[in-house]
Amino acid sequence: MAPAVFARAGEVDAAAAFPAADIAALADAGLLTAPLPTALGGDGLASDAAQVDGLAALLTVVGDASLTVGRLYEGHCNAVLLADRYGGPLATLAAEAAAGRISGVWNAERGDGPLATRVAGGWRLTGRKIHCSGAGSLARPLVTARPEGSDAPLMFLPDMRGPGIAVDLAVWQAAGMRGTATGTVVFDGAFVADADTFGAPGDYYRAPLFAGGAWRVLAVQLGGLGRILALHAAALGRSGRGGDPVVRQRFAVAAGGYEQARLLVAEAARRATDPAADPPAAVAYVDLARGSFEALALAGIDAARRNVGLGAFLGPDPLDRCCRDLETYLRQPMLDASRDNAAAWLLPRGGRFEP
């Protein structure tokens, strides 16, 4: 499955279109149902802490094939995990996955975001969400919205095929991650039944699931960084530049950075999913990993571009696309705040985490 996804990635990037064939490939491989609990035909991959290594490895494999597909798949896993943890409509997500349709999580907003108004039998959503990956293609995403009179959101699973919903994909003119079909979604009184509403107000942001869950994004990004390293090595082999000691020094920086990133992601995943872990400590470790990973990834991209030269900036060479995708995907929200939180936690502890 992964080689075929990688082979199609250039076409997806050029068309800036949702990777429907790749999502179908995930479905055929059983990966859309895999995050679901075993009682609903899944493998429990999203919510079973004992399977964290398997989930991390899977996310990295998908990210290696395509960061675009990896981003969408990570959102699907997150939606399943949140629904499982907070009593959401897992049967609906299971039916969607069985039909080959992926879910996702839409939380980003500018300003106050959507407002949820109580009506008979459910809620009506009014307002706008931004940076919605898969907009126009996801049928049942998880959407956060604040009930009237509250600053803490509930979680909703609206049916995007219903009335009162408009999608704008024209806003996504990004340099990378072009195939995520990311857009703005405007809700205008869209109805969501009580059965598709879940969690207590503020549960979405509860630690360590929210901030700690960023380890999954890092696992996907690790796949992209590994692909860049492999393409970097292959380009040096073709050009013969690998005999230059200056070039080898840069490559060593990239390879060492990848290994550091791999170890960081593995430990972040372990700590974030350990039921016995102290939530603030787990979040602080993931926050530290986020900031460290960004620096390592940018150094790997820089080394590849310097060593390969202009060819690393020109399409249709996959190295250009993979670098653009990872640079774009690294622009995650609140990264400076994450570094600050990690530092604040570590300072009174001598800068060290307990094993």
Side-chain angles (χ1 to χ4, degrees), residues 85-128:
R85 179 66 59 90
Y86 296 119
L90 279 170
T92 298
L93 290 175
E96 288 290 303
R101 292 188 290 268
I102 197 167
S103 187
V105 176
W106 296 347
N107 177 58
E109 55 196 35
R110 190 170 288 121
D112 291 335
L115 187 68
T117 303
R118 197 76 171 92
V119 295
W123 301 78
R124 290 202 179 275
L125 305 186
T126 303
R128 183 175 66 160

Side-chain angles (χ1 to χ4, degrees), residues 1-10 12 19 21-31 57-70 73 223-224 227 318 321-322:
M1 182 272 297
V5 170
F6 178 73
R8 286 189 291 262
V12 169
D22 298 326
I23 301 305
L26 293 181
D28 290 343
L31 297 184
L58 176 59
L59 291 170
T60 298
V61 167
V62 178
D64 178 277
S66 166
L67 283 175
T68 287
V69 178
Y73 186 62
R227 175 65 72 170
R321 170 179 48 78
C322 291

Side-chain angles (χ1 to χ4, degrees), residues 239-339:
S239 68
R241 293 178 184 172
D244 185 331
V246 174
V247 168
R248 288 201 302 268
Q249 186 274 337
R250 292 195 195 108
F251 184 78
V253 169
Y258 174 79
E259 182 62 12
Q260 292 175 67
R262 184 185 67 81
L263 295 170
L264 266 175
V265 173
E267 184 65 7
R270 183 187 71 81
R271 289 175 181 264
T273 58
D274 181 358
D278 174 51
V283 169
Y285 193 93
V286 175
D287 280 346
L288 185 71
R290 291 182 68 199
S292 300
F293 186 99
E294 183 199 34
L296 294 167
L298 289 175
I301 291 170
D302 181 67
R305 284 184 160 156
R306 288 179 183 274
N307 276 349
V308 176
L310 186 59
F313 294 84
L314 301 176
D317 191 314
L319 181 56
D320 165 62
R321 170 179 48 78
C322 291
C323 288
R324 287 188 287 107
D325 282 351
L326 185 54
E327 285 172 325
T328 302
Y329 198 11
L330 285 171
R331 302 280 70 83
Q332 293 291 307
M334 306 295 288
L335 191 53
D336 289 332
S338 291
R339 288 190 182 95

